[in-house]
Amino acid sequence: MPAKRKTRAKATPEAEKSRAGSGGAQKKRTASPKGRGILVIVESPAKASTIKKYLGQGFEVKASIGHVKDLPKASIGIDLKHDFRPAYVVIDAKKRIIAEIKAAAKRAAQVLLAPDPDREGEAIAWHIADEIRPCNGSIHRVLFNEITRKAVLEAIAHPVELDRNKYDSQQARRVLDRLVGYQISPILWAKVRRGLSAGRVQSVAVRLLAEREEEIKAFRSEEYWTVEFDVEGERPPAFVARVTRLDGEKPTLVHEGQAQEIVELARQSPLQVAAVERKERRKNPPPPFVTSRLQQEASSKLRFSPKRTMALAQRLYEGVELGAEGPTGLITYMRTDSTRVSEDAVAAVRDLIGSRFSPAHLPAEPNVYKTKKSAQDAHEAIRPTLLDHDPERVRILLTDNGGGRDAREIDDLVKLYTLIWNRFLACQMAPAVFEQTAIDITACRVGLRASGQVMRFPGFLDVYAESQEDTVAEDESIGSLPEVREGERLRLLGARPEQHFTQPPPRYSEATLIRDLEEKGIGRPSTYAAILSTVQDRGYVEKREGRLAPTELGVVVNGLLVKSFPDILNADFTAQMEERLDLVEEGTADWKRLLRDFYEPFERDLVRAKVEMRDLKREEEPTEEICDKCGKPMVIKWGRNGYFLACSGYPGCRNTKEYTRNPDGSLTILPATRPSDQICPACNSPMVVRRGRFGEFLACSRYPECKTTSPMPLGVDCPRQGCGGYLTEKRSKRGKVFYGCSNYTKSKCDFVSWDRPVPKPCPKCGAPFVVQKVTRSGVRLRCIAEGCGWTAASEDSDLEQAS
C-alpha cells in the first residue's frame, strides 16, 4: 500500500538515464537490466501522442480514455453499514482497454501513471493501479503542469507515490454525489415525474437561478429623473455637468416636476466653478487566468459555453498537431484556481514584453498576484507554455496541418489560445495611467459635477481589457474637460431632464453564474462547466436570449427540494462541504468521518421527505373553468410537460387544455388549434397548428381519424440538393433547440443548424437564406454558403429579424 502522504520516490535507473536537463536535445535512453521498457499511462490519446514524442524508444504510452472504474449504474454501490465502502466496478466500455493495459504492464519493468494532476486524475491513477498491481508491482505516479519536453522529462525522472489523501478526497466527493443523487431522485420520481434527478451541487445552482427569477418577478419598477446641463467656460469646448446635490444633499427625483424645479433654479442662478480636482489614476493589469475566470471571459468575449471552453482548453493542454513540430502542448493545466506563475515563465514573458513594447510597458519588478486562501496552489495559473508560439504562428501551423479539424474548430482553438496568450502578457505589463478631472459647480441651491478622464499611458491595455459583465463599468469614454479655474463663471447652454425607470436584476449568464458560484465557494474549477451543462441537460434550466432561466420544471423541483432538504440546497452548507473536502486532500480530515457527519441528518431528511413532500402527481387545484365536453369542473394538474387543465371527470372524460396564469391569478385558456395553409399529405384535409411538449407542430384537422403530423415550417427549403424537404425547428432528446430538414433521418437528410434560418437571400452571394444568432449584444446574421462569409448585425442590414 503506498504511503499515506505524497512522497518523492527515488528515480529509477531508466528514468535517470532518460532525464534531459534543460529541455534540449533528448539523450539516448537505456532499457532496464531485464531488457524491458517503461509503461506510461495517461487519460487521452492526444496526450499520449504528445508525450510519446518526448520520450522516444524504451517507453510505451497508453491512454485509459478517462475513468476506468466507477460506482455501478444499476445500484447505489455504497455499503452504508460498513463506513460507506464504495463498490467500484470496471466500466463496461473500458474492459478491453484495461486488458490491453494489463498486458502492457506485464511486459514493462515499471509503470508510471500520468493522468491529470488533480483529484479526478488521482482517482484514475489509483483505479488503474488497483487493476494492474497483480501484473506489475513497480507502480509510481508522475505529475506535470504542462506537456512540454522539459516538464515531461523532469516528471519522468522524479516519480512519486500515489497520493492517498487526494484520492480519498475525490472518493468522498463521488460518494456524496451518489448518496444525494440515488436517494433523492426516486422521491422525485414518485412525487413529480419519473426520470428526474437531483445533484448535490447542481441543485444549488438551480436554486440561485430560481431565486433570481423570483426577484425579477417580484420587482416593481419605479420612476426616477436625472438632470444634465450643457455648460461652457471661458475656454472651449462645452461640457456636460450632472446634478449631484440639492441644498447640500443628494436629490431624490421621482417625478418630472422635481426635475423641472431644479432646471428652473439653475437657470435663475449664476453658475460658478467651486472646485477643480485633478489626479492620476492607475489601473493595474488583471492576474493570469484561473479556470473560472477563463470560462467567464471566454463566455463574455468569445460567446463560448463553459463546456466548449474546457474542451478547447483540454486540446491546447494535451497537444495539437503543429506541422513538422508534431503534437505540441500549448498551455499549462487548465483546471486551477491558483494565480502562481513559475519564475522561468515570468522571466520569459518579461523578455518578450521588453522586445515587443516600449521600456515603459515593462515594470521594474515582476507583478505578483495574491492567490485566494482556498486555492489549491499545486498548479500554476493558465498560461502559454511556449512563448515562441504566438497566436499568429499557431494559426498558420494549425491551418497548414489541420489534422482532420474543420476551419471552425481551428478558429475556435486560436481564439481561445489568443485570449490566454494576451491575458498572460498583460499580467506582467505596467499599469494603465489616466488623468482624472472633476469639476464641482454651484448654482445657488443646486450642486453640479462634471467628470472626465484621459488615458495618458495605455500600459497593459495595449494587449488586454477585462470584460465587466453585469457590473457598472468605469466610464473611460468621457474624454478630457476644458481648463477652468475656481471662481470662474460658466454659461448655461441647455438643460436635459430625463425620465428613467429602475430595472430588475438581470438573469444570470453563464459567466455571471460561474462568478457567483466561485464567490460563494460552490464547486471547484473542474466542476463549473459540468454544473452548467447538467442543469440544462436535465431540463431544469434553459437559455432565453443568451441568459439562463429556470424552467417550470426547475422552479417546481427547486421548491420541493428547498423545503425537504434545506441543508443540501443551502449555499453555505455546500461551500463548507467543499472546504472539508479540501481538508481531506490536505490530510487533516478523515473522509469517512466527513461522510458520517453528512449522512446522519441527511437520512432524517430522506425519511421525512418520503412522507411529507408534496405529491404533485396526485394534487388537483380547483378552478372556475367548466369542461366543454361533459360540463364538469376543470382542475389544474401536474403532468409530464408541466401544469395543465384537466377535466375532473377523468378517466371518464379526458378533455385537457393549456392555459396561462394572468398577474391577477385568473386563467386564460389557450386555443387547442389554429388554421394553417398546409394540406395533410395523407388525406388532403387542412392541417392545423397544435402545441405539444416541444412547441408547435402541424396536425391533420381530422384527428383522431387521421393522425398525420408534421413539424412547423420556417419558410426555408432544405439546401441539400434533391432533398425536397423544408427546414423546421426541432429539439434534441435533451430538449435543446436546433433546426433541421423535415426529412431529417440518419439515412435521408442530415442537414442541421444550431442557428435559426431566416427566409431572406444573402446580399453577397444570393444564397436563398441566411441564419441568425441571438447574443447578449443583439442579433447577428450570417451566410452559411461555402466560401461566402457574409455577416452583419441585423440592425445594420436590410434583412428583417425572423419573428
Side-chain angles (χ1 to χ4, degrees):
M1 176 69 68
K4 286 225 172 208
R5 306 276 307 173
K6 183 167 68 176
T7 57
R8 188 172 293 280
K10 182 178 179 182
T12 62
E14 294 82 10
E16 286 290 354
K17 292 176 182 179
S18 70
R19 185 177 181 183
S22 61
Q26 188 174 342
K27 297 183 179 178
K28 185 176 180 180
R29 295 181 177 82
T30 308
S32 67
K34 295 183 180 180
R36 296 186 296 171
I38 296 175
L39 173 63
V40 181
I41 302 174
V42 297
E43 310 104 299
S44 76
K47 191 175 179 180
S49 177
T50 307
I51 290 173
K52 179 65 178 175
K53 179 181 74 170
Y54 300 137
L55 296 180
Q57 295 194 3
F59 289 85
E60 184 176 5
V61 185
K62 284 196 165 291
S64 70
I65 313 182
H67 282 275
V68 296
K69 298 177 79 172
D70 197 4
L71 298 172
K73 289 186 177 181
S75 64
I76 192 169
I78 299 166
D79 191 340
L80 300 175
K81 295 181 179 180
H82 295 88
D83 257 344
F84 307 96
R85 183 187 302 156
Y88 293 111
V89 296
V90 175
I91 300 168
D92 286 343
K94 301 300 177 68
K95 289 179 178 178
R96 180 183 59 80
I97 293 173
I98 282 292
E100 292 176 358
I101 289 175
K102 284 181 176 179
K106 288 179 182 178
R107 299 191 298 267
Q110 184 188 25
V111 179
L112 299 179
L113 302 173
D116 288 343
D118 58 11
R119 293 173 185 168
E120 293 300 318
E122 201 66 27
I124 293 172
W126 200 275
H127 290 154
I128 292 173
D130 283 345
E131 289 296 310
I132 67 174
R133 195 169 280 113
C135 307
N136 192 324
S138 180
I139 302 171
H140 291 83
R141 181 84 160 98
V142 291
L143 301 163
F144 33 77
N145 188 57
E146 59 186 65
I147 306 179
T148 58
R149 181 183 300 277
K150 179 179 179 181
V152 169
L153 296 182
E154 182 71 16
I156 295 292
H158 296 94
V160 298
E161 299 297 329
L162 288 164
D163 189 335
R164 178 84 211 196
N165 295 327
K166 188 178 288 185
Y167 171 64
D168 282 345
S169 180
Q170 189 277 342
Q171 185 166 237
R173 179 189 292 278
R174 187 72 187 94
V175 171
L176 279 171
D177 291 344
R178 176 56 66 97
L179 290 173
V180 171
Y182 269 56
Q183 294 191 288
I184 294 181
S185 297
I187 302 176
L188 294 177
W189 292 12
K191 309 280 188 176
V192 185
R193 187 177 91 191
R194 188 169 183 82
L196 295 181
S197 59
R200 184 179 61 85
V201 179
Q202 294 91 335
S203 294
V204 179
V206 175
R207 180 178 185 176
L208 293 179
L209 295 169
E211 289 178 345
R212 175 61 59 87
E213 200 69 14
E214 289 175 4
E215 292 177 37
I216 294 171
K217 289 181 178 178
F219 181 83
R220 296 294 177 264
S221 184
E222 296 180 356
E223 180 183 9
Y224 72 97
W225 287 72
T226 59
V227 183
E228 292 182 345
F229 293 96
D230 295 323
V231 298
E232 186 178 46
E234 295 175 1
R235 302 175 185 83
F239 58 98
V240 176
R242 298 175 177 87
V243 172
T244 57
R245 290 286 184 270
L246 178 63
D247 295 328
E249 302 290 335
K250 183 178 179 180
T252 302
L253 309 180
V254 297
H255 57 76
E256 185 178 9
Q258 292 173 316
Q260 290 294 347
E261 180 183 357
I262 284 183
V263 171
E264 292 305 315
L265 285 172
R267 282 176 173 165
Q268 295 169 9
S269 308
L271 273 65
Q272 189 172 27
V273 176
V276 179
E277 180 184 12
R278 290 186 175 86
K279 61 181 180 181
E280 180 182 277
R281 183 179 73 91
R282 291 176 173 262
K283 184 176 178 66
N284 292 319
F289 275 132
V290 296
T291 304
S292 59
R293 196 60 199 170
L294 174 63
Q295 292 173 350
Q296 293 170 55
E297 289 288 272
S299 174
S300 298
K301 293 180 179 293
L302 306 178
R303 306 303 179 196
F304 290 170
S305 70
K307 184 177 181 180
R308 177 67 173 160
T309 296
M310 295 309 290
L312 293 168
Q314 186 94 28
R315 294 294 307 275
L316 294 171
Y317 164 68
E318 292 180 341
V320 292
E321 289 286 342
L322 297 181
E325 297 183 32
T328 305
L330 291 174
I331 65 171
T332 53
Y333 190 52
M334 65 286 164
R335 295 186 180 95
T336 178
D337 51 5
S338 171
T339 57
R340 182 178 62 82
V341 176
S342 71
E343 292 182 2
D344 288 349
V346 170
V349 76
R350 284 176 59 82
D351 287 345
L352 182 64
I353 294 167
S355 67
R356 290 195 177 187
F357 299 91
S358 73
H361 282 79
L362 184 66
E365 298 293 333
N367 295 330
V368 178
Y369 297 92
K370 186 176 181 181
T371 293
K372 64 180 183 178
K373 184 179 178 181
S374 62
Q376 305 297 297
D377 205 38
H379 310 311
E380 288 188 57
I382 303 169
R383 61 166 175 82
T385 57
L386 305 165
L387 290 178
D388 57 339
H389 285 63
D390 63 37
E392 188 53 37
R393 182 184 181 194
V394 168
R395 180 185 291 279
I396 292 170
L397 291 173
L398 280 174
T399 303
D400 290 346
N401 187 63
R405 290 183 297 273
D406 60 24
R408 178 182 174 184
E409 185 179 3
I410 291 174
D411 189 51
D412 286 353
L413 282 166
V414 174
K415 283 179 178 177
L416 189 65
Y417 182 65
T418 302
L419 194 70
I420 294 168
W421 172 278
N422 289 344
R423 177 87 169 210
F424 184 54
L425 258 65
C427 84
Q428 288 300 321
M429 294 178 73
V433 181
F434 299 88
E435 182 185 87
Q436 286 186 323
T437 304
I439 303 173
D440 288 325
I441 304 166
T442 58
C444 189
R445 296 165 53 198
V446 180
L448 315 176
R449 168 165 279 212
S451 301
Q453 68 175 15
V454 177
M455 182 187 291
R456 295 303 184 194
F457 176 66
F460 76 93
L461 291 175
D462 272 339
V463 176
Y464 190 91
E466 194 170 26
S467 61
Q468 300 286 335
E469 187 166 355
D470 286 355
T471 61
V472 179
E474 298 168 80
D475 190 349
E476 297 176 359
S477 62
I478 297 175
S480 60
L481 296 172
E483 289 289 335
V484 296
R485 63 182 187 280
E486 289 186 19
E488 182 178 336
R489 291 289 185 91
L490 303 175
R491 292 183 294 279
L492 177 59
L493 303 179
R496 284 190 306 279
E498 293 187 357
Q499 182 187 40
H500 308 273
F501 293 92
T502 55
Q503 298 297 311
R507 287 193 176 108
Y508 281 104
S509 66
E510 290 184 320
T512 56
L513 181 58
I514 289 173
R515 183 191 67 197
D516 269 20
L517 290 172
E518 181 186 29
E519 289 177 354
K520 295 177 186 297
I522 301 169
R524 284 295 180 261
S526 60
T527 64
Y528 296 131
I531 290 170
L532 269 69
S533 294
T534 300
V535 296
Q536 293 176 74
D537 291 345
R538 288 177 176 173
Y540 296 146
V541 175
E542 64 185 6
K543 281 188 179 178
R544 299 177 191 168
E545 298 180 349
R547 295 277 171 154
L548 301 173
T551 61
E552 183 179 46
L553 176 64
V555 171
V556 167
V557 170
N558 175 72
L560 297 175
L561 294 181
V562 168
K563 185 173 183 179
S564 297
F565 299 95
D567 286 342
I568 298 295
L569 272 290
N570 182 281
D572 291 338
F573 177 86
T574 305
Q576 290 166 12
M577 190 60 66
E578 295 289 354
E579 292 173 1
R580 293 191 65 183
L581 289 168
D582 291 343
L583 293 177
V584 172
E585 181 172 347
E586 294 167 11
T588 58
D590 179 70
W591 73 282
K592 294 179 180 178
R593 175 63 183 272
L594 180 154
L595 292 172
R596 286 195 295 269
D597 292 345
F598 166 82
Y599 195 71
E600 184 177 341
F602 176 59
E603 188 176 31
R604 290 196 298 268
D605 288 343
L606 281 171
V607 172
R608 186 167 54 249
K610 290 175 183 178
V611 177
E612 299 179 3
M613 182 184 283
R614 287 174 57 199
D615 191 337
L616 294 186
K617 285 184 175 181
R618 292 170 174 79
E619 280 187 357
E620 294 183 355
E621 179 185 341
T623 74
E624 296 180 356
E625 300 295 327
I626 301 298
C627 176
D628 55 1
K629 292 188 177 180
C630 72
K632 291 184 178 180
M634 299 198 80
V635 295
I636 295 175
K637 299 184 69 172
W638 174 265
R640 181 170 184 83
N641 302 319
Y643 285 110
F644 65 100
L645 275 172
C647 181
S648 59
Y650 178 88
C653 179
R654 296 176 176 267
N655 189 19
T656 64
K657 294 180 181 293
E658 291 189 61
Y659 72 94
T660 59
R661 194 183 292 273
N662 301 320
D664 61 2
S666 63
L667 305 182
T668 298
I669 307 299
L670 300 178
T673 65
R674 71 172 192 271
S676 81
D677 58 359
Q678 302 292 311
I679 300 299
C680 176
C683 68
N684 292 323
S685 299
M687 300 281 277
V688 295
V689 178
R690 288 184 177 272
R691 187 170 185 82
R693 178 185 177 191
F694 294 132
E696 294 183 331
F697 64 97
L698 291 172
C700 182
S701 59
R702 292 184 60 245
Y703 178 87
E705 288 80 9
C706 178
K707 296 182 178 180
T708 303
T709 62
S710 299
M712 286 291 291
L714 298 174
V716 176
D717 292 335
C718 179
R720 292 281 191 266
Q721 190 171 4
C723 170
Y726 55 86
L727 301 189
T728 70
E729 179 180 306
K730 295 178 176 291
R731 286 184 183 252
S732 67
K733 290 182 179 179
R734 297 189 179 275
K736 189 172 182 180
V737 173
F738 71 98
Y739 304 93
C741 180
S742 57
N743 294 328
Y744 179 74
T745 63
K746 292 182 179 178
S747 59
K748 191 168 183 182
C749 184
D750 62 354
F751 177 82
V752 293
S753 171
W754 291 113
D755 299 333
R756 184 182 182 91
V758 179
K760 297 289 182 179
C762 172
K764 180 179 178 182
C765 72
F769 71 94
V770 293
V771 296
Q772 72 171 16
K773 188 174 185 66
V774 180
T775 68
R776 286 185 290 275
S777 58
V779 179
R780 288 201 68 81
L781 298 155
R782 67 185 181 92
C783 181
I784 60 173
E786 186 174 356
C788 178
W790 176 85
T791 182
S794 62
E795 61 269 23
D796 296 332
S797 73
D798 59 355
L799 301 177
E800 298 175 1
Q801 180 179 340
S803 58

